[in-house]
Amino acid sequence: MYNDKTLICKDCGAEFVFTAGEQEFYASKGFENEPQRCKDCRIARKNAVRSNREMFTTTCANCGKEAKVPFEPREGRPVYCSECFGQNK
């Protein structure tokens, strides 16, 4: 049903392949638009957004270690380091 398509990245102008498998995945998620950036440009864009994030330092409510979180902790609400957060999931 799906065939590989060659697309042009809107950031760097390079050609990239939008595979049949990727098209099927996009359709299963309800995405209607094709990707506009190649994989390298998508990764670079995602990392640029993350690097601009303000990080806050707090103490983990479980183990007491220092934790950096991308939100300002509120009084009376527990905040966990990444290790403890993963264990509590």
Side-chain angles (χ1 to χ4, degrees):
M1 182 173 163
Y2 297 102
N3 296 316
D4 289 358
K5 290 183 184 179
T6 301
L7 304 175
I8 306 293
C9 177
K10 79 176 203 176
D11 287 349
C12 69
E15 290 185 350
F16 66 99
V17 177
F18 185 35
T19 66
E22 290 171 330
Q23 291 174 50
E24 190 173 343
F25 173 78
Y26 271 53
S28 73
K29 296 293 182 185
F31 301 145
E32 295 178 4
N33 299 324
E34 296 176 340
Q36 297 182 7
R37 293 175 179 85
C38 65
K39 185 175 182 176
D40 291 339
C41 288
R42 285 195 309 260
I43 291 170
R45 187 165 188 234
K46 190 180 289 187
N47 289 338
V49 170
R50 287 181 181 165
S51 69
N52 292 338
R53 231 184 231 179
E54 183 179 0
M55 299 297 279
F56 297 88
T57 303
T58 188
T59 303
C60 176
N62 192 41
C63 69
K65 291 182 188 174
E66 182 178 284
K68 291 191 184 255
V69 294
F71 58 89
E72 189 169 6
R74 294 186 196 163
E75 193 67 35
R77 303 210 61 190
V79 176
Y80 302 102
C81 67
S82 57
E83 289 178 20
C84 292
F85 183 77
Q87 291 172 359
N88 289 332
K89 266 189 159 177

